[in-house]
Amino acid sequence: MKEDSRERQVVPVLVPVPTAEPYSYAVPEGMTAGPGAIVRVPLGPRQVAGVVWDGECSAVDPKKLRAIEEVFDCPPVNADMRRFIEWIAAYTLSAPGMVARMVLRVPAAFDPEPPLEGLRFTGTLPERMTDARQRVLEHAGDGLAWTRSGLAHAAGVSSTVIDGLREQGTFEPVLLPPRPIVAAPDPGYHIPELTPAQREAAAYLRKKAGQGFSVALLDGVTGSGKTEVYFEAIAAALQEGRQVLVLVPEIALTQQFLERFQDRFGAKPAEWHSDLAPRSRERVWRQVAEGAVRVVAGARSALFLPFRDLGLIVVDEEHDPAYKQEDRVFYSARDMAVVRGHIGGFPVVLASATPSIESRVNAEQGRYERLVLPARFGEAPLPDIRAIDMRRSPPARGNFLSPALLGEIGKTLERDEQALLFLNRRGYAPLTLCRVCGHRFQCPDCSSWLVEHRFRGQLVCHHCGHAEPRPEACPECGTLDHLVACGPGIERIAEEIDARFPKARTIVLSSDLTGGVKRLRLELEAIAKGEADIVIGTQLVAKGHHFPEMTLVGVVDADLGLANGDPRAAERTFQLLSQVTGRAGRTGKKSLGLLQTYQPDHPVMRAIVSGDAEAFYSREIAERRTAELPPFGRLAGVVVSAATRAEAEAHARALRRAAPPASGIEVLGPAEAPLALLAGRHRFRLLIHGGRDADMQGFVRAMLAAGPKPRGSVRVQVDIDPQSFL
Ligand code: ADP
Ligand code: ZN
C-alpha cells in the first residue's frame, strides 16, 4: 500500500462473518489503514468492526465498492495475531472472519479509555487558609496531579474542601492517563526458595526465556509445586520485557491463585473469564493491546486477546477437557497455545499432574521437554489410596455410600478434618420412573433422561436445559405417588450424609449453585478456611484447589466415566480420579482416598490404587498406538443435524458418498449420534480416521465441497481432533 498514491486505495478487510475471504473496501482520502488496523465498515445494512488484512484485494466493481467509515484509535492486530487467526481457521476449517470475531468481541475497547480528570496546584494560595486546606496543600503543594477523591482521601478532608480550593484558583484541572487495571508485576518481588527438583525445572524454563519457540511439559504430582516453578518462567519472561498469558481452567482461577501470584510478584495478574463485568473486560482488552497489562490469567478465550508482545504462555492443567471449545469454532486452547508460541517464537509451558496422552507422547518423541517433579512439596505424602469393592461392601438398601466409606468419614470428623465426596453428577437422581407402568421421564427435545433436582422441585435436561416441575402422578398411567428416583446425584448423597452425620457442616458444590462463578469461588474459599466438614461436589471441586484441612476423599462412583464408549474414557477417568484424590493431604497430614468401584481390577483403578501412573501411561499409549488413535492417528468428527431424522440422515449419507478416494483415510458412519436428539435437532455422525500424517483437513474440505450444500434446517459441524463423541 503506497502512502502517496493518488488513486483510490482498496484494502482487504476481514469482517466477522462466515466467508472464506476478506472483503474489499476503499480507503477514503486522508485516511491511513494499514494491515491490522481495526476499522468500522458497512456490511449490508449494518456497520461492523473488521481488521484490515494483508495481501491483495480481489477485483470489485468500483461502483459497488464501499468505503471504510472509521479507523479506530486502537493498536493494530499485529502480524503474529493475524497469522494465528489464519492458522486456526485453516486447521479447524472455520471461516477466518469467525475466528477474527473472537478477537473483536469487545467493541467498546476499540476507542481509547477516557482520561481521568485530575487536579494540579497552580501556585496560587487561597485567600483564607484553614487547617483542612493546609493539609491538602501539604500533599499537593509539589505540583503533581491528583484525582479529586484521591487527594481528599489522602489529606483526610471532604471533597468539598477540594472543590473550594478549585474555585479559588488554587487547583486547575488536568487530564491523567487512565488508571491501570492491575499494577505492574515485579519479577523480583519475592523469590522463593525452591527444592532441588523445582530448582532444576525452573532453571530450564528460565534458560528458555527469550530463546525462541519451545514447549516444556511440567509433569509433577499434585502439590509438587508446579505453580511455584512456572512462576519462575513468568518472572524470566517479564524480565525480558514480554507479556505473559497463563491459561487456567476457568474455575481454578480463584482468589487463592490470584493471591499466590501477588505474593510472588507484588501485584495481581489481570483476569479474563466469562464472569468478568463488561467494563472490566473492555479495560483488560484495551490495556493488553496497549501493553499496560503484563500478565493475564484467563480461561481459554484469553488466547484471543490482542497481546502486543506476548513472550510466554503457560497452560495449567493442560489435560483439562475445558480447554476444548465446542461451539462455532471448534478448537483446543491447549493445542492452539502451542501454535501461538510457534508463530510468536516464544516458549510454552504445559503443566499437569496427569498430562494428556498427546503431550506425554510429544515428550517421549522429543518434541516437548519433559520436566518432572516427582514428590509433593515439604513433608506432605500423597494420599494412601484404596478401592472399595462394592460387591463385597455394599451400601444399605436405597443408599449409595458403603459402610467402609461412612466409617472413614466418621473418623475424619472426629479428628476435625475435612472430607470430600466426589460424584460427577448434578442433581438428585439421573433417572425417574413410575413403579406401576415403568414410564421413564425423558426430555422432549433430547435423547436423554430428565435429571431430578429435588431442591428446585424440577426434572431437568442436562443437555438443553429443558425443565418441568416434578409431577405427583405418572403422566402415562396416572398413578399417584409411585414415582421413584433411580441412582444418585450429589443432592441425594447430601441427603444420605445429612441423615448419617446430622451435626456436620456440609457444602454441596456444582455448577447448579445459584450465584454463578462468584458464589462458587466464595464457597471454595470457605472450604479452604475450614468452614465445612464435608464437601459434596462434582468435578468443579476436583480442579487445582488447595484445601489444607482435607484428609479424606471418597469417590462415590469411580466407574462412572468408564461406562461410555469414548476412546478417551480411560484417560479421562484416570485424570479425574488422580486429580480429585490429589485434593487430600496437601499440607502433610496423613490422608486417604477411597474409590467405590464394581471393577477394582480395571487397569485404571489398579493404576490409581498402586500410584503407578507410569504403568497406566505405557499401557494406554501402547493401546493408542495399536489402534492408531490420537496421537498415533488422527480423527475428525462431522455432525449433521436437522429438524427431522430423515433430513439429517440423508444429508449425512450424501456427504459420505462425496468422500474423495484417499488411501489411509477411512470414513466411519454415518451413524445416529449417541445423543440422537439434541435441543430438538436430530443428529448423525461421521467419524473420519486417518494415519498420523493424513491430510484430514484436505479430505474433509474436499468431501464438503463435493457433497450437497446444507439446505433448509440442515447444519454441518466439523470437529477436528474431537474430544466428545456424543
Ligand atoms: P501444584 O501446582 O503442583 O499442585 P503448588 O505449586 O500448588 O503445587 O504447591 C503446593 C503447595 O506447596 C502450595 O501451598 C505451595 O505454596 C507450596 N510450595 C510448593 N513449593 C514451595 C516452595 N519451594 N516453597 C514454599 N512453598 C512451596
Ligand atoms: Zn433436552
Side-chain angles (χ1 to χ4, degrees):
M1 210 172 52
K2 282 174 277 161
E3 293 273 332
D4 58 354
S5 166
R6 288 293 139 93
E7 327 155 10
R8 213 166 170 209
Q9 273 186 1
V10 179
V11 292
V13 176
L14 194 56
V15 286
V17 295
T19 68
E21 297 292 325
Y23 291 164
S24 299
Y25 284 91
V27 184
E29 279 231 330
M31 185 187 274
T32 327
I38 301 180
V39 293
R40 187 159 54 84
V41 292
L43 183 71
R46 298 183 293 151
Q47 298 266 324
V48 298
V51 184
V52 176
W53 218 245
D54 314 78
E56 297 298 309
C57 283
S58 42
V60 197
D61 176 358
K63 281 188 231 104
K64 288 201 188 135
L65 191 67
R66 300 172 81 181
I68 293 175
E69 299 270 348
E70 179 188 3
V71 180
F72 288 102
D73 181 3
C74 181
V77 174
N78 67 23
D80 285 355
M81 197 64 179
R82 300 201 299 278
R83 298 297 79 75
F84 186 50
I85 290 171
E86 285 171 345
W87 204 98
I88 294 186
Y91 190 83
T92 62
L93 298 185
S94 310
M98 296 312 279
V99 182
R101 195 171 160 272
M102 300 197 284
V103 180
L104 300 175
R105 229 178 243 166
V106 195
F110 304 157
D111 291 313
E113 285 183 66
L116 282 179
E117 205 168 294
L119 292 170
R120 188 167 50 201
F121 180 50
T122 55
T124 314
L125 290 176
E127 283 167 23
R128 196 171 51 83
M129 191 58 92
T130 61
D131 278 358
R133 287 178 168 181
Q134 188 62 48
R135 281 207 300 280
V136 172
L137 288 179
E138 276 164 21
H139 281 85
D142 58 4
L144 292 180
W146 287 76
T147 62
R148 172 173 170 268
S149 59
L151 182 52
H153 186 72
V157 302
S158 83
S159 310
T160 52
V161 175
I162 314 281
D163 294 342
L165 285 168
R166 185 174 166 177
E167 272 160 38
Q168 301 250 327
T170 305
F171 282 107
E172 61 181 4
V174 286
L175 292 182
L176 299 173
R179 226 192 297 268
I181 193 146
V182 282
D186 170 5
Y189 183 78
H190 175 82
I191 295 173
E193 249 178 66
L194 299 179
T195 65
Q198 292 174 342
R199 206 171 326 144
E200 197 180 320
Y204 177 90
L205 296 178
R206 280 191 160 275
K207 194 177 75 210
K208 288 288 171 183
Q211 301 298 306
F213 172 66
S214 61
V215 184
L217 174 62
L218 184 55
D219 183 348
V221 295
T222 53
S224 56
K226 295 184 291 297
T227 315
E228 302 289 332
V229 169
Y230 73 63
F231 277 176
E232 297 317 294
I234 295 175
L238 290 174
Q239 276 157 349
E240 297 274 320
R242 313 289 295 271
Q243 286 170 296
V244 174
L245 170 60
V246 186
L247 291 177
V248 286
E250 172 142 4
I251 193 57
L253 193 54
T254 54
Q255 209 51 35
Q256 229 176 30
F257 176 83
L258 300 173
E259 274 162 19
R260 271 181 81 180
F261 189 93
Q262 181 163 30
D263 290 346
R264 172 64 184 82
F265 295 103
K268 291 200 168 116
E271 291 174 66
W272 184 262
H273 52 78
S274 63
D275 228 32
L276 216 55
R279 188 75 193 98
S280 304
R281 282 178 93 73
E282 290 155 22
R283 297 185 64 209
V284 171
W285 195 98
R286 181 81 197 188
Q287 295 187 12
V288 167
E290 288 175 342
V293 162
R294 308 309 299 167
V295 182
V296 175
R300 62 176 186 238
S301 61
L303 261 186
F304 298 96
L305 283 170
F307 288 94
R308 202 185 159 101
D309 187 18
L310 192 55
L312 172 71
I313 303 180
V314 176
V315 185
D316 201 358
E317 313 284 1
E318 66 92 30
H319 63 279
D320 198 297
Y323 285 124
K324 181 72 193 275
Q325 168 158 307
E326 289 166 347
D327 175 31
R328 288 175 201 266
V329 179
F330 287 56
Y331 69 90
S332 151
R334 192 253 334 275
D335 296 348
M336 293 308 125
V338 173
V339 170
R340 183 74 181 81
H342 188 73
I343 291 173
F346 58 75
V348 176
V349 177
L350 310 177
S352 175
T354 50
S356 60
I357 298 289
E358 278 85 349
S359 296
R360 276 295 302 263
V361 171
N362 276 322
E364 272 174 24
Q365 298 182 343
R367 276 184 294 273
Y368 299 174
E369 178 73 22
R370 180 165 171 233
L371 307 172
V372 180
L373 302 178
R376 277 190 164 179
F377 174 72
E379 304 297 296
L382 281 163
D384 180 15
I385 307 216
R386 282 183 238 147
I388 297 177
D389 186 341
M390 295 296 272
R391 296 166 305 189
R392 299 220 188 122
S393 174
R397 250 190 101 198
N399 286 354
F400 300 91
L401 302 176
S402 65
L405 179 52
L406 288 168
E408 290 297 337
I409 296 173
K411 286 190 219 159
T412 307
L413 295 182
E414 276 164 27
R415 289 193 305 265
D416 274 332
E417 293 167 357
Q418 280 175 326
L420 168 66
L421 292 180
F422 170 77
L423 176 61
N424 217 1
R425 223 190 233 150
R426 297 184 284 132
Y428 184 83
L431 169 67
T432 304
L433 53 79
C434 170
R435 241 179 310 173
V436 176
C437 73
H439 173 76
R440 295 170 167 221
F441 286 79
Q442 194 176 351
C443 176
D445 299 322
C446 302
S447 31
S448 68
W449 307 127
L450 291 177
V451 178
E452 181 185 356
H453 285 244
R454 189 157 287 189
F455 186 64
R456 280 153 57 187
Q458 285 182 317
L459 299 173
V460 179
C461 172
H462 283 184
H463 292 289
C464 73
H466 165 90
E468 55 190 62
R470 185 183 194 272
E472 289 182 358
C474 172
E476 198 151 305
C477 68
T479 312
L480 269 174
D481 295 331
H482 273 69
L483 300 182
V484 53
C486 302
I490 53 170
E491 290 180 11
R492 195 168 191 177
I493 299 302
E495 189 180 85
E496 197 174 324
I497 286 290
D498 278 344
R500 179 70 186 248
F501 304 102
K503 293 215 193 84
R505 298 167 299 170
T506 54
I507 289 189
V508 181
L509 277 189
S510 76
S511 54
D512 290 319
L513 197 70
T514 47
V517 179
K518 211 170 277 166
R519 165 90 188 281
L520 195 56
R521 295 202 179 129
L522 288 176
E523 298 282 1
L524 291 168
E525 260 171 77
I527 299 168
K529 288 192 198 126
E531 291 167 13
D533 303 313
I534 305 177
V535 181
I536 301 159
T538 61
Q539 55 169 344
L540 287 184
V541 290
K543 293 187 184 178
H545 312 297
H546 188 65
F547 302 132
E549 293 307 314
M550 195 158 279
T551 55
L552 173 67
V553 171
V555 178
V556 176
D557 183 355
D559 309 330
L560 190 58
L562 293 173
N564 61 20
D566 184 325
R568 284 194 177 79
E571 179 188 354
R572 282 281 144 76
T573 303
F574 173 76
Q575 287 161 342
L576 195 54
L577 294 183
S578 310
Q579 217 174 15
V580 68
T581 52
R583 292 314 104 210
R586 288 171 60 100
T587 37
K589 294 194 173 116
K590 191 169 152 17
S591 61
L592 181 62
L594 292 174
L595 313 176
Q596 294 199 143
T597 173
Y598 286 91
Q599 3 178 9
D601 294 326
H602 191 287
V604 169
M605 301 307 152
R606 288 228 294 258
I608 303 269
V609 169
S610 65
D612 190 357
E614 288 314 308
F616 171 76
Y617 278 104
S618 48
R619 190 172 172 282
E620 186 67 18
I621 288 172
E623 281 188 8
R624 297 266 182 105
R625 184 178 276 125
T626 312
E628 276 206 324
L629 282 170
F632 302 101
R634 303 195 57 202
L635 293 175
V638 176
V639 174
V640 179
S641 66
T644 64
R645 189 177 184 279
E647 276 177 286
E649 181 167 20
H651 194 92
R653 288 197 183 287
L655 279 183
R656 161 80 216 226
R657 282 192 300 273
S663 65
I665 297 186
E666 56 178 337
V667 182
L668 309 169
E672 192 159 53
L675 247 177
L677 186 67
L678 177 62
R681 298 181 62 82
H682 295 264
R683 304 165 76 244
F684 276 79
R685 273 186 163 277
L686 295 160
L687 187 64
I688 298 152
H689 180 210
R692 178 157 195 150
D693 300 318
D695 176 11
M696 303 296 277
Q697 281 85 356
F699 183 87
V700 175
R701 210 179 285 118
M703 184 176 84
L704 295 177
K709 300 288 146 294
R711 263 181 308 159
S713 68
V714 174
R715 255 186 278 151
V716 177
Q717 280 175 329
V718 177
D719 186 358
I720 302 287
D721 308 332
Q723 299 275 329
S724 161
F725 298 85
L726 287 180

